[in-house]
Amino acid sequence: MLLAIDCGNTNTVFSIREGDDFLATWRIATDHKRTADEYFVWLSTLMMLNKLDVKIDSAIISSTAPRVVFNLRVLCDRYYGCRPYVVGRPGCVLPVAPRVDQGTTVGPDRLVNATSAFDRHGGNLVVVDFGTATTFDVVDTDGAYIGGVIAPGVNLSLEALHMAAAALPHVDVSRPDRVIGTNTVACMQSGVYWGYIGLVEGIVRQIRAERDRPMRVIGTGGLAPLFEQGTEIFDAIEEDLTMHGLVLIHDHNRRLESA
């Protein structure tokens, strides 16, 4: 039974997988002060409430918050008796190594998404992830991550706008009925929504021109379905892209160990 953990800057997602199926997926706020014992109590309670009587014997972690990894590793070792693979750390090998500048540290989530997208869609891809940051990951013909773009995330931009201009309120991210807003909230929603549509289309256009070849675009992240409504740039939206990639990397390392 596999425990796959995707730790982002805002939330951490835990998924339990048996065979070809995910049995359950839960989300918790990312907090580097949360201990292994707290994680175990939380997970055990959710398993009990969902009537899951399972034995976890393997684990894999992807984390963009390095300080959280220690307690997640302790969780796996102390309570499940397994040494987790940690993407981006020694001992966890990717199916295809990234090709970036020497000494560059690539976010583990970006490596996982590249692996997953290649498995589902082949090479020559741009993976757009609407997370805390909005990232664009370029996947080469053979599945290698070869670089990308990092832009401020949608909610981060809204928060910065509110903090910098005290008169502007907090607003939800939604697709406005019209581009021209007739009140403050509508103006902000239009600026963020259509502004990010323009950002995505513009960056993808530049990537395609620089690569000088057709590039399919895969969207992921919680806001991807919303932004898909405003553009035809996306070839597919993948809600479980990261978890699928974690399973692929886990299985790849298991095969290497048993070879």
Side-chain angles (χ1 to χ4, degrees), residues 163-177:
M163 294 295 293
L168 297 180
H170 284 288
V171 298
D172 295 327
V173 182
S174 62
R175 180 181 180 179
D177 295 330

Side-chain angles (χ1 to χ4, degrees), residues 3 5 59 61 72-82 84:
L3 175 63
I5 305 172
I61 300 167
L72 291 174
R73 295 182 83 155
V74 173
L75 165 72
C76 297
D77 179 59
R78 178 182 298 167
Y79 290 105
Y80 301 123
C82 62

Side-chain angles (χ1 to χ4, degrees), residues 21 34 61 64 81 95 100 128 132-133 159 172 178 183 192 206 209 226 236 238-239:
D21 300 314
R34 186 171 287 114
I61 300 167
T64 58
V100 294
V128 185
T132 304
E159 184 66 23
D172 295 327
R178 297 182 296 174
N183 57 69
V192 169
Q206 291 301 114
L226 174 65
E238 299 278 6
E239 296 183 5

Side-chain angles (χ1 to χ4, degrees), residues 154-233:
V154 179
N155 287 308
L156 192 63
S157 295
L158 278 171
E159 184 66 23
L161 190 61
H162 170 71
M163 294 295 293
L168 297 180
H170 284 288
V171 298
D172 295 327
V173 182
S174 62
R175 180 181 180 179
D177 295 330
R178 297 182 296 174
V179 175
I180 301 173
T182 55
N183 57 69
T184 301
V185 170
C187 289
M188 291 176 67
Q189 288 176 330
S190 184
V192 169
Y193 187 83
W194 294 112
Y196 269 84
I197 291 293
L199 179 144
V200 170
E201 291 179 340
I203 289 178
V204 169
R205 183 172 60 250
Q206 291 301 114
I207 290 173
R208 284 171 169 166
E210 190 169 296
R211 295 283 291 161
D212 192 24
R213 67 187 68 183
M215 303 285 292
R216 284 175 293 171
V217 182
I218 312 302
T220 190
L223 292 174
L226 174 65
F227 283 96
E228 183 192 24
Q229 299 172 18
T231 178
E232 296 181 355
I233 200 77

